[in-house]
Amino acid sequence: MNDHFSPAGAVPVPVLRLGDVLLVTLQGDLYDGAAEQLQQDIVEAIAGSRVTGVVIDISGVEIVDSFLGRVLAEIAANARLLAAQTVVAGMRPAVALTLVELGLTLPGLRTALSTEAALELLGLDGASVPRGPRREPR
């Protein structure tokens, strides 16, 4: 039996827009159906609203496997094709260790210790939209 099938009554993952950035918070396991729906929701939201970044907060994820790693990499690849950057925020040390042990490099993903730091990487200061031209980090 595949552990990634969505149990009855599983709640879809919300995709919130914060200025030019989509904010997605993962809590617990991400099942096949929910992962496919999340990927579709993110692609449609990027294309429909012309956002430039996606922040995926995984601070609520305690265990990662190759399935979740692949989902994150696919989301980043889809976003990159639509001219948006992806930042994964809140990765626990055990999750980072597991990703390395699994050999998952997650191309196209940037990381940040917190959601706030991820928003700053994408040009947002807290919940405000930048008013002027973006400054490049030194």
Side-chain angles (χ1 to χ4, degrees), residues 70-96:
R70 188 182 81 240
V71 167
L72 293 173
E74 287 175 1
I75 288 172
N78 289 330
R80 191 171 49 254
L81 288 172
L82 295 170
Q85 298 178 57
T86 304
V87 180
V88 172
M91 187 179 302
R92 296 171 186 239
V95 170

PDB file of all heavy atoms in Angstrom, residues 70-96:
ATOM      1  N   ARG A  70      10.978  15.325  -4.107  1.00  0.00           N
ATOM      2  CA  ARG A  70      10.640  15.437  -5.530  1.00  0.00           C
ATOM      3  C   ARG A  70       9.554  16.488  -5.748  1.00  0.00           C
ATOM      4  O   ARG A  70       9.627  17.288  -6.684  1.00  0.00           O
ATOM      5  CB  ARG A  70      10.185  14.086  -6.073  1.00  0.00           C
ATOM      6  CG  ARG A  70      10.009  14.092  -7.594  1.00  0.00           C
ATOM      7  CD  ARG A  70       9.516  12.769  -8.135  1.00  0.00           C
ATOM      8  NE  ARG A  70       8.068  12.710  -7.949  1.00  0.00           N
ATOM      9  CZ  ARG A  70       7.424  11.793  -7.224  1.00  0.00           C
ATOM     10  NH1 ARG A  70       8.094  10.832  -6.628  1.00  0.00           N
ATOM     11  NH2 ARG A  70       6.126  11.816  -7.109  1.00  0.00           N
ATOM     12  N   VAL A  71       8.559  16.525  -4.875  1.00  0.00           N
ATOM     13  CA  VAL A  71       7.482  17.514  -4.989  1.00  0.00           C
ATOM     14  C   VAL A  71       8.048  18.926  -4.890  1.00  0.00           C
ATOM     15  O   VAL A  71       7.716  19.803  -5.689  1.00  0.00           O
ATOM     16  CB  VAL A  71       6.398  17.272  -3.908  1.00  0.00           C
ATOM     17  CG1 VAL A  71       5.458  18.458  -3.799  1.00  0.00           C
ATOM     18  CG2 VAL A  71       5.623  16.003  -4.223  1.00  0.00           C
ATOM     19  N   LEU A  72       8.928  19.161  -3.914  1.00  0.00           N
ATOM     20  CA  LEU A  72       9.519  20.487  -3.749  1.00  0.00           C
ATOM     21  C   LEU A  72      10.339  20.878  -4.979  1.00  0.00           C
ATOM     22  O   LEU A  72      10.266  22.012  -5.454  1.00  0.00           O
ATOM     23  CB  LEU A  72      10.379  20.535  -2.490  1.00  0.00           C
ATOM     24  CG  LEU A  72       9.637  20.408  -1.161  1.00  0.00           C
ATOM     25  CD1 LEU A  72      10.625  20.310  -0.009  1.00  0.00           C
ATOM     26  CD2 LEU A  72       8.665  21.558  -0.963  1.00  0.00           C
ATOM     27  N   ALA A  73      11.117  19.937  -5.507  1.00  0.00           N
ATOM     28  CA  ALA A  73      11.925  20.207  -6.692  1.00  0.00           C
ATOM     29  C   ALA A  73      11.041  20.496  -7.906  1.00  0.00           C
ATOM     30  O   ALA A  73      11.349  21.396  -8.706  1.00  0.00           O
ATOM     31  CB  ALA A  73      12.855  19.031  -6.981  1.00  0.00           C
ATOM     32  N   GLU A  74       9.943  19.781  -8.062  1.00  0.00           N
ATOM     33  CA  GLU A  74       9.038  20.008  -9.191  1.00  0.00           C
ATOM     34  C   GLU A  74       8.339  21.357  -9.072  1.00  0.00           C
ATOM     35  O   GLU A  74       8.149  22.057 -10.069  1.00  0.00           O
ATOM     36  CB  GLU A  74       8.019  18.876  -9.290  1.00  0.00           C
ATOM     37  CG  GLU A  74       8.621  17.585  -9.798  1.00  0.00           C
ATOM     38  CD  GLU A  74       7.640  16.420  -9.798  1.00  0.00           C
ATOM     39  OE1 GLU A  74       6.460  16.603  -9.425  1.00  0.00           O
ATOM     40  OE2 GLU A  74       8.058  15.312 -10.167  1.00  0.00           O
ATOM     41  N   ILE A  75       7.943  21.726  -7.861  1.00  0.00           N
ATOM     42  CA  ILE A  75       7.326  23.040  -7.661  1.00  0.00           C
ATOM     43  C   ILE A  75       8.312  24.129  -8.050  1.00  0.00           C
ATOM     44  O   ILE A  75       7.971  25.089  -8.748  1.00  0.00           O
ATOM     45  CB  ILE A  75       6.843  23.206  -6.204  1.00  0.00           C
ATOM     46  CG1 ILE A  75       5.610  22.326  -5.958  1.00  0.00           C
ATOM     47  CG2 ILE A  75       6.528  24.679  -5.902  1.00  0.00           C
ATOM     48  CD1 ILE A  75       5.171  22.254  -4.508  1.00  0.00           C
ATOM     49  N   ALA A  76       9.574  23.996  -7.612  1.00  0.00           N
ATOM     50  CA  ALA A  76      10.603  24.989  -7.940  1.00  0.00           C
ATOM     51  C   ALA A  76      10.834  25.060  -9.453  1.00  0.00           C
ATOM     52  O   ALA A  76      10.966  26.147 -10.020  1.00  0.00           O
ATOM     53  CB  ALA A  76      11.903  24.667  -7.219  1.00  0.00           C
ATOM     54  N   ALA A  77      10.872  23.909 -10.119  1.00  0.00           N
ATOM     55  CA  ALA A  77      11.087  23.882 -11.571  1.00  0.00           C
ATOM     56  C   ALA A  77       9.925  24.544 -12.300  1.00  0.00           C
ATOM     57  O   ALA A  77      10.133  25.342 -13.227  1.00  0.00           O
ATOM     58  CB  ALA A  77      11.270  22.439 -12.052  1.00  0.00           C
ATOM     59  N   ASN A  78       8.701  24.242 -11.891  1.00  0.00           N
ATOM     60  CA  ASN A  78       7.525  24.869 -12.505  1.00  0.00           C
ATOM     61  C   ASN A  78       7.551  26.379 -12.300  1.00  0.00           C
ATOM     62  O   ASN A  78       7.298  27.146 -13.227  1.00  0.00           O
ATOM     63  CB  ASN A  78       6.237  24.297 -11.908  1.00  0.00           C
ATOM     64  CG  ASN A  78       5.964  22.878 -12.337  1.00  0.00           C
ATOM     65  OD1 ASN A  78       6.348  22.463 -13.425  1.00  0.00           O
ATOM     66  ND2 ASN A  78       5.310  22.117 -11.477  1.00  0.00           N
ATOM     67  N   ALA A  79       7.855  26.801 -11.080  1.00  0.00           N
ATOM     68  CA  ALA A  79       7.895  28.234 -10.769  1.00  0.00           C
ATOM     69  C   ALA A  79       8.970  28.928 -11.594  1.00  0.00           C
ATOM     70  O   ALA A  79       8.744  30.013 -12.146  1.00  0.00           O
ATOM     71  CB  ALA A  79       8.142  28.438  -9.274  1.00  0.00           C
ATOM     72  N   ARG A  80      10.139  28.300 -11.688  1.00  0.00           N
ATOM     73  CA  ARG A  80      11.256  28.887 -12.430  1.00  0.00           C
ATOM     74  C   ARG A  80      10.878  29.078 -13.903  1.00  0.00           C
ATOM     75  O   ARG A  80      11.222  30.086 -14.520  1.00  0.00           O
ATOM     76  CB  ARG A  80      12.493  28.002 -12.297  1.00  0.00           C
ATOM     77  CG  ARG A  80      13.768  28.632 -12.811  1.00  0.00           C
ATOM     78  CD  ARG A  80      15.014  27.819 -12.455  1.00  0.00           C
ATOM     79  NE  ARG A  80      14.933  26.404 -12.765  1.00  0.00           N
ATOM     80  CZ  ARG A  80      14.783  25.427 -11.868  1.00  0.00           C
ATOM     81  NH1 ARG A  80      14.737  25.702 -10.571  1.00  0.00           N
ATOM     82  NH2 ARG A  80      14.711  24.175 -12.231  1.00  0.00           N
ATOM     83  N   LEU A  81      10.154  28.126 -14.485  1.00  0.00           N
ATOM     84  CA  LEU A  81       9.712  28.246 -15.876  1.00  0.00           C
ATOM     85  C   LEU A  81       8.749  29.418 -16.059  1.00  0.00           C
ATOM     86  O   LEU A  81       8.634  29.966 -17.156  1.00  0.00           O
ATOM     87  CB  LEU A  81       9.046  26.952 -16.346  1.00  0.00           C
ATOM     88  CG  LEU A  81       9.993  25.778 -16.577  1.00  0.00           C
ATOM     89  CD1 LEU A  81       9.195  24.515 -16.854  1.00  0.00           C
ATOM     90  CD2 LEU A  81      10.960  26.077 -17.715  1.00  0.00           C
ATOM     91  N   LEU A  82       8.083  29.808 -14.975  1.00  0.00           N
ATOM     92  CA  LEU A  82       7.144  30.935 -15.021  1.00  0.00           C
ATOM     93  C   LEU A  82       7.757  32.195 -14.417  1.00  0.00           C
ATOM     94  O   LEU A  82       7.055  33.117 -14.017  1.00  0.00           O
ATOM     95  CB  LEU A  82       5.851  30.556 -14.292  1.00  0.00           C
ATOM     96  CG  LEU A  82       5.058  29.434 -14.953  1.00  0.00           C
ATOM     97  CD1 LEU A  82       3.932  28.951 -14.047  1.00  0.00           C
ATOM     98  CD2 LEU A  82       4.512  29.889 -16.304  1.00  0.00           C
ATOM     99  N   ALA A  83       9.097  32.236 -14.332  1.00  0.00           N
ATOM    100  CA  ALA A  83       9.855  33.407 -13.882  1.00  0.00           C
ATOM    101  C   ALA A  83       9.637  33.759 -12.414  1.00  0.00           C
ATOM    102  O   ALA A  83       9.646  34.920 -12.035  1.00  0.00           O
ATOM    103  CB  ALA A  83       9.570  34.613 -14.773  1.00  0.00           C
ATOM    104  N   ALA A  84       9.456  32.746 -11.576  1.00  0.00           N
ATOM    105  CA  ALA A  84       9.322  32.978 -10.136  1.00  0.00           C
ATOM    106  C   ALA A  84      10.384  32.154  -9.401  1.00  0.00           C
ATOM    107  O   ALA A  84      10.726  31.055  -9.820  1.00  0.00           O
ATOM    108  CB  ALA A  84       7.928  32.585  -9.649  1.00  0.00           C
ATOM    109  N   GLN A  85      10.894  32.715  -8.314  1.00  0.00           N
ATOM    110  CA  GLN A  85      11.868  32.015  -7.475  1.00  0.00           C
ATOM    111  C   GLN A  85      11.132  31.260  -6.373  1.00  0.00           C
ATOM    112  O   GLN A  85      10.074  31.696  -5.929  1.00  0.00           O
ATOM    113  CB  GLN A  85      12.802  33.005  -6.802  1.00  0.00           C
ATOM    114  CG  GLN A  85      13.639  33.838  -7.731  1.00  0.00           C
ATOM    115  CD  GLN A  85      14.485  34.809  -6.927  1.00  0.00           C
ATOM    116  OE1 GLN A  85      15.251  34.401  -6.062  1.00  0.00           O
ATOM    117  NE2 GLN A  85      14.314  36.085  -7.204  1.00  0.00           N
ATOM    118  N   THR A  86      11.721  30.170  -5.916  1.00  0.00           N
ATOM    119  CA  THR A  86      11.144  29.399  -4.814  1.00  0.00           C
ATOM    120  C   THR A  86      12.132  29.361  -3.655  1.00  0.00           C
ATOM    121  O   THR A  86      13.313  29.101  -3.860  1.00  0.00           O
ATOM    122  CB  THR A  86      10.818  27.959  -5.257  1.00  0.00           C
ATOM    123  OG1 THR A  86       9.941  28.017  -6.388  1.00  0.00           O
ATOM    124  CG2 THR A  86      10.144  27.173  -4.144  1.00  0.00           C
ATOM    125  N   VAL A  87      11.617  29.634  -2.454  1.00  0.00           N
ATOM    126  CA  VAL A  87      12.427  29.565  -1.244  1.00  0.00           C
ATOM    127  C   VAL A  87      11.715  28.637  -0.266  1.00  0.00           C
ATOM    128  O   VAL A  87      10.525  28.792   0.002  1.00  0.00           O
ATOM    129  CB  VAL A  87      12.618  30.952  -0.584  1.00  0.00           C
ATOM    130  CG1 VAL A  87      13.466  30.838   0.681  1.00  0.00           C
ATOM    131  CG2 VAL A  87      13.237  31.937  -1.560  1.00  0.00           C
ATOM    132  N   VAL A  88      12.455  27.660   0.254  1.00  0.00           N
ATOM    133  CA  VAL A  88      11.930  26.769   1.285  1.00  0.00           C
ATOM    134  C   VAL A  88      12.382  27.328   2.624  1.00  0.00           C
ATOM    135  O   VAL A  88      13.570  27.577   2.840  1.00  0.00           O
ATOM    136  CB  VAL A  88      12.423  25.324   1.102  1.00  0.00           C
ATOM    137  CG1 VAL A  88      12.026  24.455   2.285  1.00  0.00           C
ATOM    138  CG2 VAL A  88      11.856  24.743  -0.184  1.00  0.00           C
ATOM    139  N   ALA A  89      11.428  27.523   3.517  1.00  0.00           N
ATOM    140  CA  ALA A  89      11.723  28.131   4.811  1.00  0.00           C
ATOM    141  C   ALA A  89      11.431  27.169   5.954  1.00  0.00           C
ATOM    142  O   ALA A  89      10.560  26.316   5.856  1.00  0.00           O
ATOM    143  CB  ALA A  89      10.878  29.398   4.988  1.00  0.00           C
ATOM    144  N   GLY A  90      12.184  27.342   7.036  1.00  0.00           N
ATOM    145  CA  GLY A  90      11.904  26.623   8.271  1.00  0.00           C
ATOM    146  C   GLY A  90      12.307  25.159   8.279  1.00  0.00           C
ATOM    147  O   GLY A  90      11.738  24.366   9.037  1.00  0.00           O
ATOM    148  N   MET A  91      13.292  24.797   7.473  1.00  0.00           N
ATOM    149  CA  MET A  91      13.711  23.398   7.426  1.00  0.00           C
ATOM    150  C   MET A  91      14.382  23.004   8.750  1.00  0.00           C
ATOM    151  O   MET A  91      15.283  23.672   9.215  1.00  0.00           O
ATOM    152  CB  MET A  91      14.675  23.170   6.262  1.00  0.00           C
ATOM    153  CG  MET A  91      15.025  21.708   6.053  1.00  0.00           C
ATOM    154  SD  MET A  91      16.139  21.421   4.655  1.00  0.00           S
ATOM    155  CE  MET A  91      15.211  22.108   3.294  1.00  0.00           C
ATOM    156  N   ARG A  92      13.919  21.938   9.322  1.00  0.00           N
ATOM    157  CA  ARG A  92      14.514  21.429  10.565  1.00  0.00           C
ATOM    158  C   ARG A  92      15.842  20.749  10.241  1.00  0.00           C
ATOM    159  O   ARG A  92      16.014  20.202   9.150  1.00  0.00           O
ATOM    160  CB  ARG A  92      13.574  20.420  11.214  1.00  0.00           C
ATOM    161  CG  ARG A  92      12.262  21.020  11.660  1.00  0.00           C
ATOM    162  CD  ARG A  92      11.309  19.921  12.089  1.00  0.00           C
ATOM    163  NE  ARG A  92      10.013  20.483  12.391  1.00  0.00           N
ATOM    164  CZ  ARG A  92       9.426  20.360  13.571  1.00  0.00           C
ATOM    165  NH1 ARG A  92      10.010  19.692  14.537  1.00  0.00           N
ATOM    166  NH2 ARG A  92       8.246  20.886  13.772  1.00  0.00           N
ATOM    167  N   PRO A  93      16.772  20.745  11.193  1.00  0.00           N
ATOM    168  CA  PRO A  93      18.065  20.084  10.953  1.00  0.00           C
ATOM    169  C   PRO A  93      17.923  18.624  10.539  1.00  0.00           C
ATOM    170  O   PRO A  93      18.627  18.164   9.637  1.00  0.00           O
ATOM    171  CB  PRO A  93      18.785  20.220  12.302  1.00  0.00           C
ATOM    172  CG  PRO A  93      18.190  21.441  12.918  1.00  0.00           C
ATOM    173  CD  PRO A  93      16.747  21.446  12.484  1.00  0.00           C
ATOM    174  N   ALA A  94      17.009  17.902  11.164  1.00  0.00           N
ATOM    175  CA  ALA A  94      16.819  16.485  10.819  1.00  0.00           C
ATOM    176  C   ALA A  94      16.340  16.331   9.380  1.00  0.00           C
ATOM    177  O   ALA A  94      16.725  15.394   8.678  1.00  0.00           O
ATOM    178  CB  ALA A  94      15.829  15.829  11.782  1.00  0.00           C
ATOM    179  N   VAL A  95      15.518  17.269   8.919  1.00  0.00           N
ATOM    180  CA  VAL A  95      15.032  17.226   7.544  1.00  0.00           C
ATOM    181  C   VAL A  95      16.186  17.480   6.581  1.00  0.00           C
ATOM    182  O   VAL A  95      16.340  16.785   5.571  1.00  0.00           O
ATOM    183  CB  VAL A  95      13.886  18.242   7.331  1.00  0.00           C
ATOM    184  CG1 VAL A  95      13.537  18.380   5.855  1.00  0.00           C
ATOM    185  CG2 VAL A  95      12.656  17.825   8.134  1.00  0.00           C
ATOM    186  N   ALA A  96      17.030  18.453   6.896  1.00  0.00           N
ATOM    187  CA  ALA A  96      18.189  18.744   6.049  1.00  0.00           C
ATOM    188  C   ALA A  96      19.112  17.530   5.963  1.00  0.00           C
ATOM    189  O   ALA A  96      19.577  17.162   4.879  1.00  0.00           O
ATOM    190  CB  ALA A  96      18.948  19.953   6.583  1.00  0.00           C
TER     191      ALA A  96
END
